[in-house]
């Protein structure tokens, strides 16, 4: 008896999303499907201890869920004439219940593309994906994004209403649209990851979960599509997340990549990420996530910061400039150039970008400039740039870091003056 | 499902473009319209005179107020519409993305309320 309960708990964790994805297709409605999912598991709790666990538990749950949903509809139809037709349509439906993993996979992919439909607002895509595909509760999602639970609940309700009323279909896009639509899915997954990754201390527990969920989504996409850029995104997330424990010190302050204790990097995740990058690069179609993963891979392969192959990184930023472009990438490329030995040239490139105006109020541009000046021993100028960066930075750990650097540089500059 | 595709354009900018490329754009509209008539997606469609010709009505306190111009002054104005029949939003997007107005301004797709279906929601 307890065995069956344990088995059911495990099944719920591993496969409830799969059952839900298929039920949404069969029942044509998100809320009805969620209700049916719970009824199906309730039925299993009652029946399996006596009747034994069925040969194909997932298919059993889908069938039970569909049966219960029809039952509920027919009973409600007695009091609600509007439901008569829905019940009739669903009973007569010839939509098949999948018999294989492949069939369940198709339904999951439909769900992914529906939740990440570009006709939904970006924050609604994120919320719906976490709620429906990952199975997080509305409260958990609200906590992770620091919004009140009713706000998050409303966001999800509105998204479901738009899917229904605007006729967003439950389908995998046609081949002509597939790449563009997949980009939208990857973007949503990446947003979830970044939300979990870029936050520090305080909410760190729930936020680490977000990064974990994004990685799980990434795995699902690779499994369902076999797509190279999905593989690149998964690699990027794994390689970044591998450094999690080394990124902050005991006080919760930021530790820069070059100062991190690399023995704290999760070696299994690094190895998996590196293998995925290789495969993604071998495919020929090299997208923005794959290139960023390739850059992360160069860092991951360096045993110490000083062994970093900066020239290779410059090469990847050249590629990234071609496929994506933009001032922030140009900034990173300039830093890579400087670190590869062309310090003065890197500095000139950053100055040109700052003069261009686009990055003038971007804290990272000023802190990058300050860092290069510090390395060149031009401390007075470094202080001015740290000051400017500090005026623009908003995140607590980042501000503390900049203030530490500024104090240290100011002291060195003073001592140098006094020595003269 | 039926969808209305509302075509928004900046009158001043469109007028400028029409001076040089008017014939080409009109030809594109004719081709598009006849294409969706042939494919069975077309239900209706009209081009509208500029907002300078618009009249807005309100009844307040039982009295009819008539004012010159559109309801709201915005950068882009409604310039025309199509009513189409599409399987779902994906098909509606495929069709509406071929409206020349997407390049000149923007096209808003709105599902039409079906009161016969509305009954069982």
């Amino acid at each position: 008896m307890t065995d069956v309960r344990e088995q059911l708990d495990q099944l719920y964790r591993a496969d409830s999303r799969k059952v839900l994805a298929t039920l949404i297709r069969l029942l044509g409605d998100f809320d009805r499907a969620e209700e049916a999912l719970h009824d199906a598991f309730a039925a299993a709790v009652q029946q399996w201890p006596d009747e034994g666990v069925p040969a194909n538990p997932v298919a059993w749950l889908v069938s039970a869920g569909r049966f219960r949903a029809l039952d509920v509809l027919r009973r409600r139809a007695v009091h609600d004439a509007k439901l008569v037709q829905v019940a009739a349509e669903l009973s007569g439906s010839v939509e098949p219940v999948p018999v294989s993993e492949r069939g369940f996979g198709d339904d999951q992919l439909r769900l992914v593309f529906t939740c990440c439909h570009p006709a939904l607002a970006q924050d609604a895509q994120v919320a719906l994906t976490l709620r429906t595909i990952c199975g997080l509760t509305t409260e958990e999602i609200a906590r992770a994004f620091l919004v009140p639970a009713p706000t998050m609940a409303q966001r999800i309700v509105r998204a479901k209403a738009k899917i229904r009323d605007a006729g967003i279909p439950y389908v995998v896009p046609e081949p002509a649209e597939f790449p563009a639509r997949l980009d939208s899915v990857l973007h949503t997954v990446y947003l979830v990851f970044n939300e979990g990754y870029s936050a520090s201390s305080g909410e760190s527990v729930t936020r680490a979960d977000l990064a974990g969920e994004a990685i799980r989504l990434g795995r699902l996409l690779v499994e369902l599509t076999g797509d190279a850029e999905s593989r690149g995104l998964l690699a990027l997330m794994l390689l970044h997340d591998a450094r999690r424990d080394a990124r902050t010190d005991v006080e919760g302050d930021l530790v820069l990549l070059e100062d991190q204790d690399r023995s704290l990097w999760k070696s299994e995740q690094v190895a998996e990420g590196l293998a995925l990058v290789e495969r993604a690069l071998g495919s020929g179609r090299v997208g923005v996530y794959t290139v960023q993963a390739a850059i992360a891979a160069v860092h991951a392969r360096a045993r110490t910061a000083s062994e970093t192959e900066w020239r290779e990184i410059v090469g990847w930023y050249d590629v990234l400039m071609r496929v994506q472009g933009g001032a922030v990438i140009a900034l990173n490329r300039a830093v890579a150039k400087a670190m590869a030995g062309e310090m003065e040239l890197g500095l000139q490139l950053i100055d040109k970008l700052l003069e261009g105006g686009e990055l003038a109020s971007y804290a990272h541009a000023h802190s990058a400039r300050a860092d290069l000046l510090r390395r060149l021993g031009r401390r007075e100028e470094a202080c001015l740039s740290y000051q400017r960066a500090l005026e623009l930075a908003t995140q607590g750990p980042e501000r503390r870091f900049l203030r530490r650097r500024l104090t240290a540089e100011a002291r060195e500059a003073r001592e140098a003056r006094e020595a003269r | 499902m039926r969808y209305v595709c509302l075509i928004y354009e900046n009158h001043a900018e469109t007028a400028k473009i029409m001076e040089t490329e008017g014939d080409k754009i009109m030809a594109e509209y004719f081709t598009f319209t006849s294409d969706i008539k042939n494919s069975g997606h077309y239900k209706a469609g009209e081009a509208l005179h500029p907002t300078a010709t618009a009249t807005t009505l309100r009844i307040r306190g039982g009295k009819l107020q008539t004012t010159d111009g559109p309801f709201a002054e915005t950068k882009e104005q409604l310039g025309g519409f199509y009513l189409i029949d599409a399987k779902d939003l994906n098909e509606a997007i495929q069709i509406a993305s071929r409206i020349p107005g997407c390049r000149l301004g923007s096209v808003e797709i709105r599902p039409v309320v079906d009161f016969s279906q509305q009954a069982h929601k």
Side-chain angles (χ1 to χ4, degrees):
Chain A
M1 171 105 182
T2 47
D3 264 7
V4 175
R5 277 306 279 266
E6 256 170 47
Q7 228 174 321
L8 264 167
D9 281 346
Q10 206 190 344
L11 200 62
Y12 189 87
R13 278 194 300 273
D15 290 321
S16 66
R17 300 299 108 192
K18 211 183 274 180
V19 176
L20 180 68
T22 297
L23 282 173
I24 293 174
R25 175 171 58 79
L26 295 176
L27 300 172
D29 183 277
F30 277 67
D31 292 331
R32 210 174 286 146
E34 266 174 57
E35 204 179 322
L37 173 72
H38 290 289
D39 287 347
F41 272 92
V45 170
Q46 278 193 336
Q47 294 178 30
W48 291 8
D50 295 335
E51 297 167 16
V53 177
N56 187 341
V58 175
W60 188 96
L61 288 162
V62 168
S63 299
R66 179 197 221 180
F67 178 79
R68 296 265 161 155
L70 278 173
D71 198 40
V72 168
L73 265 172
R74 285 198 200 97
R75 269 187 283 124
R76 284 184 196 159
V78 175
H79 307 286
D80 188 346
K82 293 176 233 167
L83 292 177
V84 175
Q85 200 181 337
V86 184
E89 274 170 19
L90 286 178
S91 326
S93 159
V94 289
E95 290 280 336
V97 174
V99 287
S100 65
E101 278 303 305
R102 175 86 187 275
F104 284 112
D106 289 347
D107 280 338
Q108 278 185 295
L109 201 52
R110 283 189 183 94
L111 186 55
V112 167
F113 278 106
T114 305
C115 291
C116 298
H117 199 286
L120 298 172
Q122 187 65 65
D123 57 5
Q125 292 181 36
V126 167
L128 202 58
T129 298
L130 289 172
R131 177 76 196 90
T132 316
I133 304 170
C134 301
L136 265 58
T137 65
T138 304
E139 288 73 22
E140 284 169 332
I141 306 167
R143 224 178 305 135
F145 284 88
L146 313 175
V147 301
T151 308
M152 191 53 80
Q154 197 175 41
R155 200 176 285 174
I156 294 171
V157 167
R158 280 196 189 138
K160 286 181 190 164
K162 176 152 186 189
I163 290 174
R164 188 188 59 221
D165 297 339
I168 292 178
Y170 198 60
V171 294
V172 174
E174 288 169 29
E177 285 149 22
F178 193 91
R181 288 286 308 279
L182 185 61
D183 282 349
S184 160
V185 173
L186 297 179
H187 182 63
T188 299
V189 174
Y190 190 53
L191 279 183
V192 172
F193 179 77
N194 259 342
E195 191 67 32
Y197 185 70
S198 57
S200 57
S201 65
E203 304 77 40
S204 59
V205 182
T206 40
R207 301 217 141 189
D209 287 351
L210 274 188
E213 290 301 334
I215 289 172
R216 242 161 44 94
L217 282 168
R219 284 190 201 286
L220 182 69
L221 284 177
V222 170
E223 192 186 305
L224 294 176
T225 65
D227 166 71
E229 184 66 343
S230 303
R231 211 164 257 134
L233 174 60
L234 177 58
L236 176 64
M237 295 191 294
L238 285 169
L239 290 172
H240 277 289
D241 189 69
R243 301 183 206 141
R244 171 178 299 283
D245 297 340
R247 275 177 87 228
T248 45
D249 61 18
V250 279
E251 273 105 49
D253 275 337
L254 276 181
V255 181
L256 291 188
L257 187 54
E258 68 172 316
D259 302 323
Q260 286 176 12
D261 175 357
R262 297 187 178 213
S263 68
L264 293 177
W265 291 0
K266 294 176 194 132
S267 53
E268 265 174 48
Q269 242 174 273
V270 169
E272 192 191 353
L274 290 177
L276 282 163
V277 175
E278 289 303 319
R279 259 195 90 179
L281 287 173
S283 75
R285 178 174 109 92
V286 176
V288 291
Y289 297 115
T290 304
V291 179
Q292 290 179 75
I295 294 170
V298 178
H299 287 298
R301 275 195 295 262
R303 274 180 305 152
T304 61
S306 60
E307 286 170 76
T308 309
E309 291 287 346
W310 284 103
R311 275 176 199 292
E312 204 184 327
I313 293 178
V314 172
W316 285 120
Y317 274 117
D318 288 340
V319 176
L320 206 49
M321 279 306 286
R322 276 201 303 279
V323 294
Q324 192 176 26
V328 172
I329 291 167
L331 171 69
N332 288 329
R333 182 178 168 276
V335 171
K337 273 254 182 221
M339 296 305 289
E342 295 179 87
M343 204 52 102
E344 294 287 345
L345 176 63
L347 199 55
Q348 279 169 23
L349 288 171
I350 292 179
D351 283 340
K352 214 179 284 171
L353 282 167
L354 285 172
E355 278 164 32
E358 218 178 314
L359 294 181
S361 54
Y362 185 58
H364 285 301
H366 294 278
S367 63
R369 182 173 191 274
D371 188 58
L372 297 190
L373 289 164
R374 177 184 68 89
R375 287 171 200 273
L376 285 167
R378 288 156 65 176
R379 303 193 190 284
E380 310 263 350
E381 290 167 88
C383 284
L384 290 176
S385 279
Y386 277 127
Q387 205 117 41
R388 186 76 193 109
L390 196 54
E391 283 163 21
L392 295 164
T394 52
Q395 277 185 318
E398 195 188 343
R399 290 182 57 83
R400 285 199 295 277
F401 167 79
L402 289 168
R403 201 166 287 132
R404 274 202 310 276
R405 274 281 155 95
L406 177 59
T407 313
E409 281 307 283
R411 193 180 48 235
E412 297 263 356
R414 201 170 48 241
E415 282 168 9
R417 262 200 316 273
E418 284 162 6
R420 255 189 269 131
Chain B
M1 282 179 74
R2 285 177 307 155
Y3 295 88
V4 173
C5 307
L6 301 165
I7 303 161
Y8 286 92
E9 290 163 355
N10 181 309
H11 281 330
E13 279 174 27
T14 308
K16 231 183 285 166
I17 296 166
M18 290 303 269
E19 265 178 39
T20 52
E21 291 178 66
D23 291 348
K24 203 178 126 239
I25 291 163
M26 286 317 290
E28 282 174 17
Y29 266 106
F30 282 125
T31 310
F32 170 73
T33 308
S34 79
D35 280 355
I36 62 168
K37 276 181 180 166
N38 290 335
S39 63
H41 294 107
Y42 177 91
K43 289 274 157 197
E46 301 292 348
L48 307 178
H49 281 294
T51 49
T53 63
T55 307
T56 300
L57 306 180
R58 291 176 184 82
I59 294 177
R60 296 288 181 273
K63 262 173 63 184
L64 180 65
Q65 300 168 359
T66 308
T67 46
D68 169 51
F71 168 65
E73 291 290 346
T74 49
K75 260 205 279 180
E76 292 189 326
Q77 298 88 21
L78 186 63
F81 70 90
Y82 283 98
L83 176 63
I84 63 168
D85 211 351
K87 188 171 76 200
D88 51 41
L89 185 64
N90 283 9
E91 194 180 49
I93 291 173
Q94 269 178 31
I95 295 165
S97 64
R98 284 152 46 206
I99 300 175
C102 287
R103 278 184 287 116
L104 300 168
S106 54
V107 173
E108 178 179 327
I109 305 174
R110 294 274 291 270
V112 172
V113 177
D114 183 341
F115 284 101
S116 68
Q117 291 282 312
Q118 194 68 357
H120 59 251
K121 264 201 184 135

